[in-house]
Amino acid sequence: MMLHLRSVLALALLSLCGLAQAAGPAKIDTRFEATRQAFEAVFPGVTVDGIRATPFPNLLEVEVGGTLLYTDPQANFVMQGSLLDSKSRIDLTERRMQELSRVSLNDLPLDKAIKLVKGDGSRQMVVFEDPNCGYCKRLHTTLQEIDNVTVYSLMFPILGPDSRRKAEDIWCAQNPAKTLSDWMGGGARPEKASCEHPLDQILAAGQKLRIQGTPAIYFADGSRVDGWLPVDQLQSRLQAAVQ
């Protein structure tokens, strides 16, 4: 039974390792080099991206493929799940994941985005979205209630061949912004269109950012939210990002 569980965890870590390799080489604090070696010895083929101390004695945070695990300095055990501070009631894992996903908007491929401007466009958000994603469509409906925002939409067709076809039709349309809004917000299927497009580059960028679902939303302060937000929460995040 123990060997079976170990094998399952190893397979899961190996799948995460593929994402880590796409994101770039690991940088490990030399203080935790022994732990890295011990961890990778227990799980052959797995590459550790980072190790750092937690607020708790002898408990280390291990980053593998954008996922956080916890172990002791000798890698005698591995835990997966949320680490909660019982005194402050803070989810330390969630807070750390938000730190790891933060990115400057200047580092995103905005030149490959479809740009939607509402009002004065003073607030900014970037959305990786699939044209067949239900929650992406719901986000566009929510955006109809929000003003003074610039939305950079990056077509991220991961839900199948039809998503790829629609993404190309939208990006290659004579008016991509209107075509996108008409489809995502109104259900008007885009007309067939073809051109040189940046979909593969956008998919590669999303892979480096470890985006595995849509919508993935980035705000002006570099923070990220995975999934749809109701209008009040979206307003709050947009406003907080520019303060």
Side-chain angles (χ1 to χ4, degrees):
M1 184 62 159
M2 185 62 69
L3 287 175
H4 173 68
L5 291 174
R6 187 173 178 178
S7 298
V8 170
L9 181 56
L11 286 173
L13 290 173
L14 282 170
S15 67
L16 293 171
C17 187
L19 291 174
Q21 290 172 350
K27 295 181 180 179
I28 306 296
D29 189 316
T30 55
R31 294 176 298 165
F32 305 121
E33 179 60 25
T35 302
R36 180 194 67 79
Q37 293 181 12
F39 192 97
E40 293 181 352
V42 174
F43 300 106
V46 169
T47 299
V48 172
D49 295 325
I51 301 177
R52 68 194 294 265
T54 71
F56 308 104
N58 297 317
L59 184 65
L60 300 177
E61 171 195 290
V62 181
E63 182 190 353
V64 177
T67 293
L68 298 182
L69 306 167
Y70 300 96
T71 189
D72 67 316
Q74 292 76 40
N76 290 320
F77 66 84
V78 178
M79 299 189 304
Q80 184 174 18
S82 293
L83 182 64
L84 304 177
D85 186 318
S86 60
K87 293 182 179 179
S88 65
R89 306 297 186 189
I90 293 175
D91 186 332
L92 299 176
T93 303
E94 175 61 25
R95 186 170 69 179
R96 177 65 175 151
M97 288 299 295
Q98 291 178 2
E99 293 175 2
L100 291 172
S101 64
R102 191 175 293 272
V103 63
S104 170
L105 294 195
N106 293 330
D107 294 332
L108 298 176
L110 300 186
D111 60 320
K112 298 173 177 60
I114 298 172
K115 187 176 179 180
L116 308 172
V117 181
K118 299 190 65 180
D120 62 19
S122 56
R123 301 178 296 178
Q124 293 182 313
M125 58 185 284
V126 180
V127 184
F128 285 80
E129 57 182 336
D130 185 296
N132 284 333
C133 161
Y135 280 105
C136 301
K137 294 177 181 179
R138 195 171 179 182
L139 176 63
H140 277 262
T141 300
T142 300
L143 285 169
Q144 293 174 6
E145 303 179 52
I146 293 180
D147 206 3
N148 300 329
V149 61
T150 299
V151 180
Y152 294 92
S153 172
L154 290 164
M155 291 285 93
F156 196 63
I158 58 175
L159 296 180
D162 185 65
S163 291
R164 175 82 180 203
R165 179 67 259 173
K166 285 195 181 82
E168 183 174 344
D169 292 340
I170 292 169
W171 207 92
C172 295
Q174 287 188 344
N175 189 335
K178 184 178 186 303
T179 303
L180 175 65
S181 295
D182 288 349
W183 167 244
M184 300 298 278
R189 188 181 181 93
E191 295 182 3
K192 297 293 184 184
S194 184
C195 66
E196 291 188 11
H197 54 74
L199 297 182
D200 289 334
Q201 294 97 309
I202 296 172
L203 286 167
Q207 184 181 37
K208 289 182 179 179
L209 294 167
R210 297 164 181 157
I211 295 174
Q212 301 180 59
T214 55
I217 308 169
Y218 285 92
F219 296 95
D221 61 357
S223 62
R224 170 173 151 185
V225 170
D226 292 323
W228 167 79
L229 290 175
V231 63
D232 57 336
Q233 293 184 31
L234 185 55
Q235 284 275 31
S236 178
R237 293 298 296 260
L238 283 168
Q239 201 57 35
V242 297
Q243 292 177 349

